[in-house]
Amino acid sequence: MRESVKMRECFLGYSIIIGPGADNYTLQGLSKGTPQPPIHSHARTQNLNLPSPERLSHEVRPAVFVAGSIAVDFSCDYKPATSASPKQPMLQTSNPAAISQSIGGVGQNVARAIHLLKVPVRLCTMIGDDLAGQMARIALDGAKMDTAGVIEKKASRTSQYVAVNAADKGLVVAMADMEVMEKGNGNKNEISQIFENTWLPELLKYAPKQLVVDGNWSSNMLHKWLNAAKSIPTTTFFEPVSTAKAVRIFQRTEQAELGVWPHNTIDVTTPNSYELQAMHAAARETGYLERDDWWRVVDAFGIPSTGARVQLALATSPQLVDAGIPQQSIQLLPFIPRVLTKLGSEGVLLTQIIPAGDPRLTMGEYAPYIISRCSNDSEEAVKVGGIYMRLLPAAERVLEEEIVSVNGVGDTFLGAIVAGLAKDPSKNIEDLVGPAQQAAVMTLRSAESVSPALSGLEWL
């Protein structure tokens, strides 16, 4: 093993593989959001005095579980009064706008994309007993989605999301009320009881191929979902949702800390560049990047002491290296061995651990993307082949006038990735990025948070 205190400090301080400007994050990422037409819910009413809620009359065997939010979305698209008007809405005054209302929420969007791509999926979420909750029921009914995991919580507000978009449809600011998902953070709170009584038994019963968890849950609930997945052979995905919520996965809870590769708790994450920055900062601030088991895996990557800046720049771009995007994704790999960073028009950066014995390590076509190779003989090194990094370009350049809404674009992307892996687990995730980007472009051109046209796709 080549571990040394000096080398470790260099790695953490970016001097080994991170160049100047590492704290300057200026890349655009895909916006979070949601709008969409009606979609179903014979949603079960959760009465905590009745621990066995009423079951749906039909039974669906889901291949994927999505644990996340459903929300009533309001999309406020700024409409400049004249061609000479500012392209951004003015603060502290009323602005002309086109306002639409639909059903969204990150979890619901991801589940809907998976559903449209013809993979059986169960959405595990919560709504309130209010008008917004009734709208969600009607919407879910219209999409014929499996709603056995949708719980109605008494005396609660259904989640709502308000997005204010500029003239070019780019997100200016958003407001999210997700209290029904977040309230309570202890083992005996209401949401924990619902999890233990309803969601956990069904997760164990169906043992889905994939579990997607979004960051709208409290940190405690995130770890409940992820820890439960350890007992079944499933691939876990974490969708960060926003910079504020992305950090929750690294907040220490009574449930346990994240495991490191090859016993990692999370398999795949899909942040944009801002969320990646927030996740990395949180991991560092909470001491995750000081753990000995983290360092042993990092040391097994085989990154030379002279640095890997040239390799990173060749695999991505000097601008991305200056922004610190590749370096931060590498430092998160021991906890999340596949990181798909969404970079908007620049495409998607895939960073992952290559296991020892992976055929790509010896195939010439993949050589440009092997950033480092393991040369150690430690226990961790036996399992690590190296680091694989590839910048996958955008599937299509979309003209500004073609963009209808950015809401739900990233969620559609994730849903398509998950659906592709559910259909063929043997696929390399990079082979699904292009089709998933095409699905995201369809949503970009749609007024809905997930384009209904996905149902006609056959390439996943």
Side-chain angles (χ1 to χ4, degrees):
M1 198 151 6
R2 299 174 290 103
E3 178 176 355
S4 71
V5 174
K6 181 177 179 181
M7 184 175 179
R8 180 171 183 169
E9 289 176 349
C10 286
F11 186 83
L12 286 168
Y14 295 155
S15 60
I16 282 187
I17 61 170
I18 295 185
D23 293 326
N24 181 21
Y25 298 90
T26 58
L27 298 175
Q28 288 292 331
L30 293 175
S31 299
K32 293 289 182 299
T34 23
Q36 150 167 5
I39 331 179
H40 158 257
S41 170
H42 293 236
R44 292 174 290 175
T45 298
Q46 179 69 20
N47 184 331
L48 295 176
N49 296 320
L50 300 172
S52 299
E54 181 182 354
R55 299 281 174 175
L56 282 176
S57 59
H58 65 278
E59 186 76 13
V60 177
R61 186 169 191 86
V64 179
F65 269 49
V66 176
S69 65
I70 184 171
V72 176
D73 287 351
F74 296 87
S75 183
C76 308
D77 295 334
Y78 171 60
K79 298 292 184 183
T82 68
S83 58
S85 299
K87 300 302 181 183
Q88 297 272 348
M90 302 291 290
L91 299 178
Q92 299 175 333
T93 188
S94 177
N95 292 273
I99 301 176
S100 59
Q101 184 177 353
S102 58
I103 302 300
V106 171
Q108 190 278 150
N109 289 344
V110 173
R112 179 161 168 79
I114 295 169
H115 172 74
L116 288 169
L117 291 168
K118 303 177 181 63
V119 172
V121 56
R122 175 160 297 179
L123 174 62
C124 298
T125 191
M126 304 190 67
I127 60 175
D129 58 343
D130 54 4
L131 181 59
Q134 294 176 35
M135 291 176 59
R137 289 191 187 127
I138 294 170
L140 292 170
D141 271 325
K144 297 181 173 61
M145 289 176 66
D146 171 9
T147 57
V150 179
I151 301 295
E152 181 181 289
K153 191 167 181 291
K154 293 295 186 182
S156 297
R157 299 189 307 274
T158 299
S159 298
Q160 298 191 55
Y161 176 91
V162 180
V164 177
N165 302 318
D168 64 357
K169 309 299 182 181
L171 181 67
V172 175
V173 67
M175 305 292 282
D177 176 1
M178 301 287 172
E179 186 180 62
V180 71
M181 300 284 294
E182 301 167 351
K183 192 173 183 180
N185 203 28
N187 279 333
K188 297 181 179 180
N189 68 75
E190 294 180 345
I191 300 177
S192 290
Q193 290 183 43
I194 295 169
F195 175 83
E196 299 290 342
N197 294 339
T198 302
W199 294 322
L200 178 58
E202 294 181 356
L203 182 70
L204 299 178
K205 172 184 177 182
Y206 292 110
K209 296 177 181 178
Q210 277 84 30
L211 169 65
V212 182
V213 183
D214 81 29
N216 283 303
W217 300 101
S218 67
S219 181
N220 194 56
M221 281 303 304
L222 283 172
H223 284 275
K224 276 183 176 287
W225 278 107
L226 293 168
N227 289 339
K230 289 180 180 179
S231 61
I232 56 177
T234 186
T235 302
T236 53
F237 294 77
F238 173 60
E239 167 47 49
V241 176
S242 67
T243 55
K245 296 175 180 178
V247 304
R248 291 177 176 175
I249 204 64
F250 289 106
Q251 292 173 348
R252 298 183 183 276
T253 78
E254 59 197 55
Q255 292 301 312
E257 297 181 338
L258 294 178
V260 300
W261 195 86
H263 306 296
N264 45 286
T265 313
I266 305 172
D267 295 307
V268 186
T269 189
T270 53
N272 61 32
S273 58
Y274 302 109
E275 293 159 355
L276 178 71
Q277 177 189 12
M279 291 168 68
H280 179 267
R284 190 166 185 163
E285 291 166 4
T286 55
Y288 270 88
L289 305 190
E290 296 294 331
R291 283 171 44 171
D292 288 339
D293 54 355
W294 169 84
W295 173 248
R296 287 194 295 269
V297 177
V298 166
D299 190 47
F301 288 162
I303 297 171
S305 59
T306 54
R309 180 180 174 84
V310 173
Q311 295 94 314
L312 293 178
L314 289 173
T316 61
S317 71
Q319 293 76 21
L320 282 176
V321 174
D322 287 343
I325 303 301
Q327 299 92 321
Q328 292 188 14
S329 62
I330 286 174
Q331 293 195 17
L332 292 181
L333 286 181
F335 300 111
I336 312 173
R338 284 183 284 182
V339 180
L340 287 166
T341 306
K342 298 170 290 191
L343 302 171
S345 62
E346 295 191 53
V348 174
L349 178 63
L350 167 64
T351 309
Q352 70 174 98
I353 295 176
I354 290 281
D358 190 295
R360 284 172 288 183
L361 289 167
T362 57
M363 298 173 68
E365 61 187 292
Y366 293 105
Y369 314 118
I370 306 295
I371 301 302
S372 66
R373 297 173 185 270
C374 179
S375 58
N376 293 348
D377 57 2
S378 67
E379 182 179 349
E380 287 77 12
V382 172
K383 304 178 182 71
V384 174
I387 297 176
Y388 185 87
M389 182 175 290
R390 188 170 184 176
L391 179 59
L392 298 151
E396 182 180 346
R397 297 290 177 182
V398 181
L399 299 176
E400 181 178 320
E401 55 268 26
E402 296 180 287
I403 298 174
V404 177
S405 174
V406 298
N407 294 336
V409 174
D411 305 333
T412 301
F413 172 81
L414 174 55
I417 291 285
V418 174
L421 288 175
K423 290 182 177 182
D424 186 358
S426 67
K427 276 188 174 294
N428 287 325
I429 201 167
E430 65 194 290
D431 296 329
L432 296 170
V433 169
Q437 287 180 313
Q438 292 174 3
V441 167
M442 295 171 72
T443 289
L444 196 63
R445 292 188 170 117
S446 172
E448 303 164 15
S449 59
V450 179
S451 172
L454 265 64
S455 62
L457 296 178
E458 301 294 340
W459 33 250
L460 277 175

